[in-house]
Amino acid sequence: MAQSSIVSVLTISFPEAIAIILLGLLSTGKSEYIRSKINLARVLAMAALSSVMSFFIRKVVGSEIENLLVSFIMFTLLYIFIIKLTVYESTMASLLSLVLFTIEQTACILLLTAITGINFENVISNDILLFLFFIPERIVEAVLIFIFMKYNIKIIDFEKMNLKKKEFYLQLFVYIISICTLIFITNLLAKLAIYGDLDAINNSTNSILVRINIYLTIFVTIVLTIAIKSTNDYYKNKNSLSNNELKQSLKYISNLLEEKNYEELKDALDKLNDHISKQ
């Protein structure tokens, strides 16, 4: 992603973020979402916030791998809190959008550098040249978004997929990340405790891996917290709804009893019994 000045944030990073967000929504079957003006305002707000955050992240994060991982975490959380998607929808939207964007951007950069003969290092050091260089890429992204919308293309359709399957794959994804994170950190701590091997952590490669695992640990913690809260809210609302239905049924049965309408009373009791049996 582009960096180096406020100008690049406004002219490059902001439209870039809009493209990434829209690709994420469209690839997960959320084409109807962006047809609302309120939701489009949320997309613009998320794009503005992510552009500013990316600008500062670039100054702190060194490697491209770290930057990509932090971007994935950032977009996932912004999808959750700003776009108001669920945890699993946000995770997949962020993942798919970054994969599509990375493929498209890499292809465009390779093609443009081959055609123009300009070294990309020279491009990123000049804001004006950088802006002009990425105009074709923005056009390709606009065409890609148009095609997704026109032909209703989706990679994963969350509007039709079974809820239990989505929850299962999200939990599996989180557990795999958690296990990999714990294994790596445990290995480093074991080396430090048993052998006093500070080089295991000071090594540049391990240092990057430690930071990546810290990012993943923070991400998993946040996602699990949100998932647990969502599950708790779901069952709380479900229990509240069941209690209200039960109260209404008992009131209805009481009225039938007062009216001595025994035939309808029997039907009401049978329905209530069936409803309770299915819980």
Side-chain angles (χ1 to χ4, degrees):
M1 296 182 185
Q3 64 171 11
S4 77
S5 70
I6 299 299
V7 175
S8 70
V9 171
L10 296 175
T11 60
I12 299 173
S13 296
F14 181 65
E16 182 181 280
I18 292 175
I20 292 174
I21 296 165
L22 292 179
L23 285 173
L25 291 171
L26 293 171
S27 63
T28 52
K30 297 289 182 181
S31 57
E32 291 300 320
Y33 179 92
I34 60 178
R35 300 184 191 279
S36 166
K37 291 182 178 179
I38 295 177
N39 292 335
L40 281 177
R42 289 178 177 172
V43 169
L44 293 176
M46 177 175 168
L49 184 57
S50 64
S51 299
V52 174
M53 291 174 67
S54 295
F55 177 77
F56 290 105
I57 287 171
R58 277 284 188 174
K59 291 181 174 296
V60 177
V61 176
S63 68
E64 285 299 322
I65 295 178
E66 284 185 83
N67 179 65
L68 189 61
L69 178 60
V70 173
S71 296
F72 165 72
I73 295 172
M74 176 187 71
F75 276 107
T76 300
L77 296 178
L78 291 178
Y79 272 123
I80 293 172
F81 294 110
I82 296 182
I83 303 297
K84 304 299 182 182
L85 299 185
T86 59
V87 173
Y88 46 83
E89 289 172 341
S90 300
T91 303
M92 291 309 301
S94 179
L95 180 62
L96 291 174
S97 64
L98 288 173
V99 168
L100 289 171
F101 175 77
T102 302
I103 293 172
E104 176 266 336
Q105 185 182 62
T106 302
C108 286
I109 291 175
L110 291 174
L111 185 61
L112 288 170
T113 51
I115 294 173
T116 61
I118 301 175
N119 191 307
F120 190 66
E121 294 296 327
N122 296 330
V123 173
I124 61 177
S125 62
N126 187 307
D127 286 338
I128 296 176
L129 186 60
L130 187 63
F131 173 72
L132 296 174
F133 192 84
F134 277 104
I135 288 178
E137 184 184 328
R138 299 289 91 84
I139 295 173
V140 172
E141 290 163 2
V143 171
L144 193 61
I145 290 169
F146 173 77
I147 293 173
F148 265 79
M149 293 186 66
K150 182 175 178 60
Y151 297 102
N152 197 26
I153 297 173
K154 60 200 76 167
I155 299 175
I156 297 179
D157 190 356
F158 277 109
E159 299 301 318
K160 295 182 179 179
M161 287 182 65
N162 184 271
L163 179 62
K164 290 184 178 179
K165 288 184 179 179
K166 289 186 286 188
E167 290 179 344
F168 169 76
Y169 287 121
L170 172 66
Q171 291 173 6
L172 183 63
F173 172 75
V174 171
Y175 291 149
I176 290 173
I177 292 179
S178 301
I179 291 170
C180 292
T181 301
L182 290 173
I183 288 174
F184 181 80
I185 292 179
T186 302
N187 180 50
L188 286 181
L189 291 176
K191 285 184 178 181
L192 182 62
I194 298 173
Y195 303 106
D197 189 5
L198 290 174
D199 291 335
I201 295 178
N202 292 333
N203 179 275
S204 59
T205 302
N206 282 340
S207 178
I208 292 174
L209 291 175
V210 168
R211 292 200 298 274
I212 288 175
N213 277 275
I214 291 172
Y215 302 146
L216 290 175
T217 302
I218 294 172
F219 173 67
V220 168
T221 302
I222 295 173
V223 167
L224 282 177
T225 303
I226 295 171
I228 291 171
K229 184 180 183 301
S230 298
T231 303
N232 181 58
D233 291 342
Y234 168 76
Y235 283 108
K236 186 185 294 183
N237 293 333
K238 183 179 179 181
N239 290 335
S240 176
L241 182 62
S242 298
N243 290 336
N244 289 333
E245 290 175 346
L246 184 60
K247 287 178 181 177
Q248 290 175 1
S249 297
L250 291 174
K251 185 177 181 181
Y252 176 62
I253 290 170
S254 176
N255 292 336
L256 290 175
L257 185 61
E258 290 177 0
E259 295 171 3
K260 297 184 178 180
N261 190 343
Y262 298 115
E263 185 175 345
E264 289 190 17
L265 176 61
K266 183 178 182 303
D267 290 338
L269 288 170
D270 289 339
K271 290 179 181 178
L272 180 60
N273 182 55
D274 290 340
H275 177 74
I276 294 174
S277 298
K278 292 178 182 177
Q279 296 297 313

